[in-house]
Each structure stands twice: as structure tokens, then as C-alpha cells.
Amino acid sequence: MRVSALLWLAAFVALPGWSGGAQDLTSLSIEQLLEIKVEGASLHPQSLEDAPASVTILTAEDLRKYGYRTLAEALGSVRGFYAGYNRTYHTVGVRGFHLPGDYASRFLVMVNGHNLADNIFNFVLSFGNDFPLDMNLVKRIEIIRGPTSALYGSNGIFATINIITKPPEEAGPSRLTASLGSFGERKAQVMTTASLGASAQVLFSGAVFNNRGESPLFFPQFNVPETNYGQAIRMDNEKGYHFFANLAWKNWNVTAAFSDRQKIQPISFGPTVFNDRGTNTNDTRNYVEAAYMRDLHGGTLRWRAYYDSFHSRRRSDLPIDVVNPADSGVEDNREFFYGDWVGTELTYRFDVSHLGTLTVGGEAKFDLQNLQRSFDVSPAPSEFLNVSRRDKSVGLFAQEERQLSRRWKMNLGARLDVSANRNSFFSPHAALIYQPTSEWTCKFLYGRAFRNPSAFDLYFEDGGRSGASNPAARSEKADTLEVDLERRLGKRLRLLAAAYTYRLNNFLVGEYVGAGVIQYRNVGKIQASGFEIELHGQPAGWLEATASYSIQKSRDNDPDGRLENSPDHLAKLRFAVPLGRKFDASSGMQYYSSRRTLGGAEVKPVYLADFTIPSRRLLPNFDLQFGLRNAFNRNYSDPIALTQQVDSLRQAGRSFFVELTARARD
């Protein structure tokens, strides 16, 4: 379906007659939206106009209306972001950067300010059901574009995602949520809150899921009799659990999150046996954090201490004879990545005469375990890798916020990171904010960010079998310039435009240094620029809508210079209308231009449309939600890089889900 047809459909669905004459119950005014505070941009609550970055907020109401069930779905709907899936992990790119097979996405993901990056791969893979938090526990998602290493250190290059959870007092009554969907999707969640006395309140949430997945999956690269004519049968199953708890008591806040997911991989890392259900990955992500905040001597003191754990166990069934796999036996290979670490952070924010407001702080992390193992179980036990190189690091940072005049504000920040196993790095940040009137805001932004080489990049060495270590690998660095213009159009609409350019140096690229042996080296350079525009608000009292368009050019040092999996154009439209007094109707539409695979092929442009109908107190203690994804059954593929043989993967066609929620009496 052409874009014009999609827009006509949007206009038809949004006709006033569909609202049933009900008053608008779905949206906030622009003034109310601008009153929502963002915490992740400067380590304290501030308005969107004062934040030294281009910020998008997704509220709990947005998640409900548009039916976002995973973090990947939510982020994929936002200006400049785009999602992908290789049937093992959901991944997310931003501003033209989403290299196939490069999971180090170079942006931070945090829950209530707690960094979810692990201490082995130094990135976040959990954007699907493996994300340790269920979406109906989310109060808002803060999407902060641009570099944030001046506050958070490594990985804060392109964006920071800060998920704020609902506190126990706002979570509402106990509830049971059950959902079913296409491809055998099944999930159940229980959430409850309780008062413990002495001003203490606690929230508990537990969820389990078991999805059969698509079957069969067709891979044309394996369309021969020896590999079942490319048909992978029952090779897309995933199952797991989430547990989340939050205790709030006076100045204290204690959070615990535990999650586990096991995924059968239809295509895995390397030349695994096709259509073999033994190949799978099992990822466990846990953390416990205690946070304390208090007003002290005219300032605000914040302290947190935490324990984190990331364990990944992989099994790969490999043919002993790669040339004639059908006639050979099976090599049962296992890889274990076990990371455990502790850390603490202390910040103090206070006013200083003639300097404005200062925030100073420090962070320290210490590895308890950083184990990487690779070994064969059969046909003969053999160990290829067993290494644990524990690291310890310290970061010191400072930030100044000053009102220069009635119209000008300044934000300056810097951070120094020192590590036992990695090079030191200094990250500056500067922002000038000009507000000539209450309707106009212009932001001039500069930042330098970095990403440290991971323990995997530095130390993965399995005796010349597949990987070679590189202890001399250096930090990647990026310099970014950006100009943002924000304009209120009356009380109902807000227009945003952003132009940016960044240069990423010392990019870590995997290079072959032997037969099938990869070493990560600082040889890459990427330069990109782009322009984004977004219109958001209520064109009419019965209609909420957000439309955005992004044009971006990303270049690397390849001969033709074109970056893989980097669409030049992204267009997005989402809207919601009330259907009477009990239902809302919403839709999200996306367009990606063509993208290049690692093998040099092109995946065609794609138009996607989703529709969701959620209820609002359908019964006093019961709600229903229905969703349709890829509603027009578009046939499209995402670039991936699990093996050299498969560099793009067909995505799911039309699918649906139904979610039922039963609540205890208020």
C-alpha cells in the first residue's frame, strides 16, 4: 500500500463521527505535556524546554493507547529510532546507526537511572521480552538524544533511554494481566502493592511468558534437500520470567529486578546445524539497588549502591565437517559469559553565588566476576577459553547550570573516567539555550562521548578457533554538534526541528586475522549528519497525533562509503481518537527507505501499519486490549549478521494480540 493510501486511511479513521461525541479523555494539552519533568538529561527533574538535549517523553498513557508491549516497539515509534530483529535479539538503532551484528548500540538504557549495560559485552541486548521490566509498570520513558558521557561515562554516544517506573503509591490496585497472540504468544503477569506501615510501601510484579514462535521459517539460503529445503520447524520458541520489586520508605528507595529468557535460535552465531533445536541461548539479568535522597545544607544529596549480575549460556550444535555437514557428526559447543559487579554513585546539587547551580559527583564500579568460557562437550571434551579479567573503574563529574540572562541559559559539564584495564577518557559537554519568547526555544549543543572496548573485545581468545584477543584496543570517541528549534503553535501543537552532525573515530571493527578468526581493532571511522522534524499535539479536540520525518546520511571508510542498515529516510505517524466513552482507537505507521546488508545487497523499503483498540474501564475492574501488527501483511526483511551465509532475515507478517486485565476493587 502506498503512503498516500495510508494517509487516507488515517484521515478516515480519525473522522469526528468515530469519536461518538465523547469528550476528549485521551490526551494532555501542550502546556500539561511541557510540565512533565525529565530527570535523565541533567540528573534532576527539569522541563523539556530547559533540558540540554532533544527529548521525547512516552507516558504510561501512550504505552496503553498504542499497545506497546516491548521496549523495542516503544522506541521504534519514536523520531529517529528504528528497530530490528534477527530471531534471537531485538535491537534498536538511532540516527542512522544500527550496524548488523554490532550489538554495542552505543546508547545507554537505564531503569530509574540504573545503567543496564553488562560488564562483559558492555551493551544492552534486552529490548524484547528479555527486557527485565514489564511495560505496564512504566510511568514514562525518557528518550534523550545526543551524547551523555559527561554524566554517565561509557556508551553515552547517540542517546540515553531512562525508564521511570511507577512508584508503589501510583501503581493502582492489584491486577492480573493475561495476553494471547499470533505464533503461540502467551504471557501472564501479577502485580500488587502493599502498605507496610511507618510510611513504607512496596510493589511486587511477576510475569511468565512462553511463545511458540513462527513455524515453519523459510531460509532460501538453505533450500536444498539436505537442510529440509530451507524450512526451520519449531525453531523460534522463547520462554522466561520477570520479577520486579520496589520498596519506598521515607528517603529510601530499594529496587530489585530478576529476569531470565531462553531462546531457541533458528540461525545462530556461526555455521550451526540447520533446523537443530539444540542450538539456543539463555540470558539472565538481575540487579538490586538501594537509593537515598535528602535535602542537605541547601542542596540535594543523592546516593545509590547496587549489585548487578549478567549470565549468558549458549549452546551451539556445529557440524564436525563443515564441507559435508549432512554426513558428519555434531560438535556440541558451549559458551558461558558470567558477569557480576558492584557499584556506588554519589551526587550533590547545590546553588553557588555567581555560578548558578552545580552538580558534582562520582561513581565507582568493581567487577566480582568477569568470566568467559568456550568448550566442547562432545564428541570429545575440549576447552578453548577460560578467562576472567576483573576491572575496576572510577568516574568523577561536574555540571554547571546558569541563567546568563532573561533569555539565555547555559549548561556545562565534564567527566573523567579512569579504569584499571582501559584507557582514561575526558568527556566535555556544552549547551546554550535561547528562549526569546515563551513560544520559542533554540538549543545549541556540543558533546564528546566515548565507548570503552568491552571485556569481550579485549580478552576473547579461543586458541585460534574463532576469536583473537586485543588488549591494546582503545576507546571509541564521538564528537557531536546539534541545533534544536522548538516552537509552540498555540495551545494544541508543538513543532520540533533538529539538525545534527557527528564523527565517530577509532570505531572497533571485527577483522579476519586468520582462517575464520576475528579480532576487534580500532580502524573504523563514521561521519553522519541529519535533519529531523516533528509535529505533535491535538489538531482537534478529539484527535491526538504525532508526525515525524528524518533524513540522515551516514558514511564509513568503505570504498563506497555507505553505512550498512542505515536508511536515508524515516517517516512516522501515530494518532489516537476516542471511540465512545469506553474505547480508544490508535494507529502507528512507519516508513523505512532501503537499507544495505553487510554482503552489499539491498533490502527494499517498507511501510508498516499497526492498529490498537484499548478499553478504558470497560467494566469497573476489567479491561480489554486488541492489537494488529503489520496490518497490511507487508513482506519485508531486516539486515542481520549472525552468519556469512544469511545477511538479511524476513520479518513476521500480519499478527494480532489480545490482552485482558482484571483489577482488584479500588
Side-chain angles (χ1 to χ4, degrees):
M1 182 175 290
R2 304 174 74 84
V3 173
S4 58
L6 293 181
L7 296 177
W8 276 110
L9 178 64
F12 175 74
V13 172
L15 286 174
W18 281 67
S19 68
Q23 295 179 348
D24 175 43
L25 301 174
T26 62
S27 302
L28 299 173
S29 68
I30 291 300
E31 287 84 355
Q32 290 172 315
L33 286 172
L34 292 177
E35 288 176 1
I36 296 176
K37 303 299 184 182
V38 55
E39 296 183 19
S42 297
L43 295 178
H44 67 89
Q46 59 186 159
S47 69
L48 301 185
E49 292 176 330
D50 290 338
S54 177
V55 179
T56 296
I57 300 289
L58 292 178
T59 65
E61 180 66 5
D62 293 325
L63 303 183
R64 182 195 71 84
K65 281 185 299 190
Y66 294 99
Y68 299 140
R69 295 172 295 157
T70 66
L71 185 58
E73 276 193 337
L75 294 179
S77 72
V78 173
R79 163 174 50 98
F81 283 74
Y82 55 111
Y85 186 38
N86 63 9
R87 298 286 174 174
T88 297
Y89 296 110
H90 290 271
T91 56
V92 176
V94 59
R95 290 187 165 177
F97 190 91
H98 192 187
L99 287 178
D102 189 324
Y103 300 104
S105 51
R106 289 154 183 89
F107 59 84
L108 293 170
V109 179
M110 306 187 297
V111 173
N112 299 323
H114 182 93
N115 191 346
L116 292 184
D118 66 81
N119 70 336
I120 294 179
F121 298 102
N122 193 26
F123 53 64
V124 173
L125 271 178
S126 50
F127 291 95
N129 285 319
D130 47 358
F131 188 68
L133 189 71
D134 294 289
M135 288 295 100
N136 57 15
L137 295 174
V138 175
K139 181 177 181 179
R140 67 179 182 273
I141 301 176
E142 303 174 350
I143 298 103
I144 304 160
R145 296 170 182 81
T148 57
S149 287
L151 286 178
Y152 300 112
S154 180
N155 262 14
I157 292 181
F158 297 123
T160 294
I161 314 300
N162 189 26
I163 296 101
I164 306 296
T165 61
K166 298 175 183 177
E169 64 271 17
E170 296 181 16
S174 300
R175 69 184 64 192
L176 169 65
T177 302
S179 61
L180 301 171
S182 301
F183 318 126
E185 295 181 8
R186 294 167 293 176
K187 182 179 179 181
Q189 181 204 5
V190 176
M191 187 276 292
T192 188
T193 60
S195 176
L196 304 181
S199 302
Q201 292 183 299
V202 65
L203 178 151
F204 293 102
S205 173
V208 293
F209 58 91
N210 191 339
N211 304 327
R212 290 198 305 268
E214 276 193 87
S215 182
L217 291 170
F218 177 62
F219 294 86
Q221 300 88 347
F222 297 96
N223 190 12
V224 294
E226 294 79 9
T227 51
N228 198 36
Y229 295 97
Q231 301 286 340
I233 310 296
R234 297 174 57 238
M235 290 290 296
D236 197 29
N237 172 262
E238 66 173 350
K239 60 182 179 180
Y241 66 82
H242 304 152
F243 174 79
F244 180 81
N246 179 217
L247 170 66
W249 177 63
K250 296 183 178 179
N251 300 98
W252 288 91
N253 199 290
V254 180
T255 303
F258 304 92
S259 66
D260 180 271
R261 185 193 71 147
Q262 183 172 352
K263 181 71 171 71
I264 295 175
Q265 298 175 273
I267 295 292
S268 186
F269 311 96
T272 54
V273 177
F274 185 76
N275 201 29
D276 182 340
R277 286 176 55 84
T279 297
N280 67 84
T281 182
N282 181 208
D283 297 330
T284 302
R285 183 69 173 92
N286 307 322
Y287 76 88
V288 179
E289 177 184 274
Y292 178 81
M293 183 175 69
R294 181 180 177 182
D295 292 334
L296 186 67
H297 301 304
T300 301
L301 178 74
R302 296 187 182 215
W303 172 78
R304 70 174 75 206
Y306 51 85
Y307 162 77
D308 278 73
S309 173
F310 168 77
H311 291 182
S312 181
R313 297 165 289 276
R314 299 173 182 172
R315 171 179 170 175
S316 299
D317 285 354
L318 304 164
I320 295 177
D321 185 351
V322 179
V323 178
N324 299 296
D327 300 326
S328 70
V330 175
E331 174 188 353
D332 180 354
N333 177 257
R334 309 292 175 96
E335 290 183 343
F336 290 172
F337 302 97
Y338 288 174
D340 298 272
W341 65 102
V342 294
T344 185
E345 181 185 78
L346 180 69
T347 66
Y348 185 54
R349 182 172 184 264
F350 58 101
D351 293 330
V352 177
S353 178
H354 307 298
L355 289 179
T357 302
L358 295 183
T359 302
V360 295
E363 181 181 18
K365 295 181 182 180
F366 306 91
D367 286 349
L368 303 177
Q369 179 179 216
N370 195 312
L371 175 65
Q372 303 180 69
R373 289 191 65 199
S374 177
F375 59 95
D376 278 355
V377 174
S378 64
S382 180
E383 186 168 70
F384 305 104
L385 172 70
N386 190 335
V387 61
S388 180
R389 299 288 182 89
R390 293 182 295 176
D391 194 19
K392 51 188 176 183
S393 62
V394 175
L396 300 174
F397 55 89
Q399 176 182 256
E400 177 190 8
E401 300 166 83
R402 185 191 301 187
Q403 186 82 39
L404 299 177
S405 68
R406 185 171 61 88
R407 297 178 178 178
W408 287 92
K409 299 176 184 178
M410 179 182 69
N411 184 297
L412 299 176
R415 173 168 168 144
L416 176 64
D417 284 272
V418 180
S419 167
N421 296 339
R422 297 165 176 86
N423 297 327
S424 301
F425 201 93
F426 179 74
S427 308
H429 173 80
L432 278 175
I433 301 175
Y434 178 57
Q435 295 174 303
T437 69
S438 60
E439 289 80 22
W440 287 93
T441 300
C442 189
K443 302 178 181 180
F444 305 91
L445 310 170
Y446 163 76
R448 171 170 292 178
F450 75 102
R451 175 185 173 265
N452 276 327
S454 68
F456 182 83
D457 298 331
L458 293 169
Y459 307 123
F460 188 83
E461 173 80 57
D462 57 357
R465 188 167 177 267
S466 64
S469 64
N470 183 12
R474 306 183 306 279
S475 300
E476 303 172 348
K477 70 174 182 178
D479 290 282
T480 302
L481 288 171
E482 182 171 347
V483 178
D484 289 353
L485 185 64
E486 303 175 11
R487 165 75 161 133
R488 296 193 206 184
L489 302 175
K491 295 183 178 181
R492 293 185 177 274
L493 294 174
R494 187 179 182 217
L495 178 68
L496 302 95
Y500 65 87
T501 181
Y502 67 80
R503 183 188 297 270
L504 180 60
N505 290 305
N506 291 330
F507 182 67
L508 283 163
V509 177
E511 292 192 330
Y512 286 102
V513 295
V517 178
I518 292 178
Q519 183 182 58
Y520 286 89
R521 297 178 173 179
N522 295 99
V523 298
K525 181 181 294 185
I526 294 173
Q527 186 167 355
S529 58
F531 175 77
E532 302 170 346
I533 188 167
E534 177 179 283
L535 184 63
H536 170 74
Q538 295 175 260
W542 46 268
L543 172 64
E544 172 197 318
T546 300
S548 68
Y549 172 70
S550 304
I551 181 171
Q552 52 207 17
K553 295 291 184 181
S554 302
R555 298 288 182 263
D556 58 15
N557 54 3
D558 288 341
D560 65 357
R562 187 177 177 192
L563 195 63
E564 293 82 6
N565 196 18
S566 181
D568 290 341
H569 304 274
L570 291 174
K572 301 188 179 185
L573 169 67
R574 70 173 190 259
F575 62 87
V577 297
L579 293 180
R581 298 184 180 275
K582 294 293 186 179
F583 290 94
D584 296 313
S586 67
S587 178
M589 301 182 182
Q590 302 183 37
Y591 165 76
Y592 297 176
S593 62
S594 64
R595 292 166 287 165
R596 183 184 180 187
T597 71
L598 284 178
E602 295 282 333
V603 298
K604 62 183 181 181
V606 59
Y607 309 89
L608 299 175
D610 300 335
F611 295 93
T612 306
I613 299 179
S615 69
R616 285 181 276 109
R617 295 286 181 172
L618 181 62
L619 297 175
N621 304 103
F622 180 83
D623 267 314
L624 170 70
Q625 186 178 76
F626 173 80
L628 197 61
R629 299 295 181 256
N630 192 2
F632 302 120
N633 202 30
R634 306 297 298 184
N635 183 356
Y636 75 104
S637 298
D638 283 339
I640 68 167
L642 290 175
T643 72
Q644 292 181 330
Q645 194 170 1
V646 181
D647 68 348
S648 66
L649 188 60
R650 183 179 178 272
Q651 299 300 300
R654 183 187 297 114
S655 65
F656 75 92
F657 72 90
V658 177
E659 183 176 277
L660 309 175
T661 299
R663 290 181 295 271
R665 294 187 182 275
D666 294 335

